[in-house]
Amino acid sequence: MKSLGLPLKAALACLALSAGGASAQQVTLNFLSAQRDEVVAPMIEGFEKANPDIKVIHQSVPFNDLNAATESRIGQGDTSIDLIHADTPRIPAFASQGYLLNLDDRRAEIEKAAPNAVDIEQLSWNGSLYAYPMWNSTQLMFYNKDLLQNAGISLPSGNPAERVTWAELLDAAAKAQAGGAKWGMTFQQVDRYYQLQMLFESKGAGSGLIGDDNLTPAVNTEAWIDVAKWYSALYEKGIAPRGVTPEQTDEMFINGEVAFVIGGPWAIGRYDRNPDLHYAVAPVPYFAGGKPVTPTGSWAISINPHSQKIDAARKFAEYVSLNPEGAVLSVSKNPLPPVNADAFKVYAEHMSAMTDKIGPAIDIITYELANTAVGRPRSRGYVTFETIMNRAFSDIRNGSDSAEVLNGAEKQLQRALGRLK
């Protein structure tokens, strides 16, 4: 991942807090996440430098296995895990099962570092706090400037008021293929609800969950089926590739195989590692007649209530979330917007310095977070909902009938979510 570089180091020097005193007895914490080691290494190194009496061991599991790991280990009272990286939509499900430590005693400190009420809501369930805020997210439309220019396509505007529609993007994607691109476009996270929710919301189809507790499915409505057919056609026409995983899409863009990628700002570090990749960013498209919508929400950090080292775990969690120094280090290899207000200022300065190269990424990110962001539904049944919907999207992408797949998903969800009411 690209380092945030010397300007960041100078900023960190201004933000750095005094190091804690050393202790003769070292405590070891275990931190479970779905991140690569290199992503969390800077914040762990910064914490251990400030707290030489505490060592943090990172245990990384694949994204799709994190839910099961949390349920099987913490759900069984396992004390070997002290800290969990928690995707914010999962907090209601995990908190309601007793997997996360209640943090209401730290509410004032958390709200001071993250003054946005929407961010606080993402950490909460049933009125209580269960996680410290770390990162936020949005989506950008990345494009390969060489492929577009070779095909005679005008470069998209970076102004959100001039964003293209999905129909206009697909026209450009097809022209790019005619001009030599292997693929016209792809979603970075193919088949994942996090990224595809914005399609249904843009069309006015809703999130797919309704009711006071978001425990009633609504995924086989006419509007949902229309959007699903659009998603299916994208692959049937060969504009986007079938048979790839979310882990492969960034490499396809880095290698110059794809003209457009809808993806998160965390990809910027990886894309910058290829000096031959000439790319820029624009706002994500929307459906004509609908409204612009972007995903949001990201990872927070929670404490296992069964941990035998609660005080040390709290120190680490607060360093990477409430301490501006730690919060900046947490995104130094993974350029997501930090929720910490002071850390976001440093992040914004760094992203602004990249405008001449990749376009106004920080302006787009700031605009989308304030105006078009829609979070995933807050529900005790979210993990179940996401699991079933991700499988449904995969079936649709691979050619199954959209209406039949969504009717089947609706029935599965009615049975599964009905047990939670």
Side-chain angles (χ1 to χ4, degrees):
M1 283 287 184
K2 178 183 174 64
S3 168
L4 291 183
L6 292 176
L8 171 61
K9 293 179 181 177
L12 287 177
C14 297
L15 293 170
L17 301 181
S18 60
S23 169
Q25 184 175 4
Q26 189 172 64
V27 174
T28 298
L29 298 174
N30 290 302
F31 173 33
L32 180 67
S33 92
Q35 307 301 324
R36 298 185 304 279
D37 287 340
E38 61 265 31
V39 169
V40 300
M43 64 185 190
I44 291 177
E45 291 170 4
F47 174 76
E48 291 180 340
K49 184 178 179 181
N51 298 272
D53 56 334
I54 304 175
K55 181 177 178 59
V56 180
I57 295 176
H58 178 229
Q59 297 184 19
S60 179
V61 297
F63 175 83
N64 290 336
D65 296 339
L66 185 60
N67 289 337
T70 301
E71 291 172 346
S72 64
R73 298 183 66 175
I74 297 178
Q76 296 300 315
D78 187 343
T79 61
S80 66
I81 296 298
D82 303 293
L83 298 132
I84 314 127
H85 220 197
D87 196 15
T88 51
R90 291 166 171 75
I91 287 175
F94 288 167
S96 66
Q97 296 297 316
Y99 298 166
L100 310 178
L101 184 71
N102 185 298
L103 301 176
D104 283 346
D105 59 329
R106 303 296 290 162
R107 178 178 291 276
E109 289 78 6
I110 293 171
E111 290 182 346
K112 180 180 178 182
N116 189 319
V118 175
D119 294 330
I120 297 300
E121 174 62 24
Q122 295 290 310
L123 311 170
S124 306
W125 176 71
N126 210 20
S128 288
L129 284 169
Y130 289 92
Y132 290 94
M134 285 191 69
W135 305 335
N136 212 331
S137 74
T138 188
Q139 293 287 288
L140 300 165
M141 182 172 75
F142 295 88
Y143 58 89
N144 184 311
K145 292 191 286 189
D146 292 339
L147 291 178
L148 268 58
Q149 288 168 344
N150 290 342
I153 300 169
S154 299
L155 301 184
S157 170
N159 184 347
E162 299 172 357
R163 75 178 74 222
V164 299
T165 65
W166 284 110
E168 290 170 333
L169 171 62
L170 296 196
D171 284 345
K175 290 178 183 176
Q177 284 182 285
K182 183 175 182 179
W183 302 105
M185 70 152 290
T186 185
F187 290 97
Q188 184 184 49
Q189 299 188 42
V190 289
D191 301 339
R192 286 185 179 168
Y193 180 81
Y194 163 77
Q195 195 167 46
L196 302 186
Q197 178 190 359
M198 64 180 174
L199 299 175
F200 299 93
E201 300 275 9
S202 176
K203 193 77 170 179
S207 70
L209 286 176
I210 59 177
D212 292 338
D213 296 323
N214 276 325
L215 288 173
T216 301
V219 300
N220 63 345
T221 63
E222 183 177 344
W224 258 76
I225 292 171
D226 282 348
V227 176
K229 287 180 178 178
W230 177 91
Y231 186 63
S232 176
L234 189 63
Y235 298 95
E236 186 175 354
K237 293 177 181 176
I239 295 174
R242 285 172 168 161
V244 299
T245 67
E247 290 75 21
Q248 295 173 302
T249 52
D250 280 340
E251 289 301 320
M252 294 171 64
F253 187 67
I254 290 170
N255 294 333
E257 298 177 25
V258 186
F260 297 94
V261 170
I262 307 300
W266 56 85
I268 290 172
R270 298 189 68 186
Y271 295 169
D272 276 358
R273 288 190 307 194
N274 181 0
D276 296 326
L277 175 63
H278 303 130
Y279 75 98
V281 299
V284 298
Y286 71 107
F287 281 115
K291 62 180 181 180
V293 174
T294 52
T296 191
S298 185
W299 296 94
I301 187 165
S302 296
I303 298 172
N304 177 5
H306 307 298
S307 169
Q308 303 300 301
K309 308 156 197 167
I310 294 286
D311 290 343
R314 190 186 296 273
K315 267 191 174 181
F316 179 71
E318 296 194 355
Y319 175 79
V320 302
S321 60
L322 308 186
N323 184 326
E325 176 189 27
V328 171
L329 286 172
S330 77
V331 299
S332 63
K333 297 292 185 183
N334 190 41
L336 277 167
V339 175
N340 184 295
D342 290 332
F344 184 83
K345 295 175 184 174
V346 178
Y347 172 85
E349 290 175 4
H350 168 71
M351 296 297 286
S352 292
M354 301 182 71
T355 298
D356 288 344
K357 179 180 178 183
I358 67 170
I362 188 59
D363 294 339
I364 298 171
I365 291 169
T366 302
Y367 180 88
E368 305 290 31
L369 289 175
N371 296 282
T372 66
V374 173
R376 286 160 282 179
R378 309 290 295 171
S379 170
R380 289 183 290 119
Y382 179 77
V383 174
T384 299
F385 172 76
E386 183 187 71
T387 301
I388 291 173
M389 291 315 302
N390 288 356
R391 284 201 301 263
F393 293 140
S394 178
D395 290 343
I396 290 168
R397 178 165 67 110
N398 289 307
S400 297
D401 182 82
S402 298
E404 290 182 7
V405 170
L406 292 181
N407 283 330
E410 177 82 7
K411 291 179 181 177
Q412 291 180 59
L413 289 167
Q414 286 176 349
R415 289 194 296 270
L417 299 182
R419 292 193 285 269
L420 299 177
K421 292 181 178 178

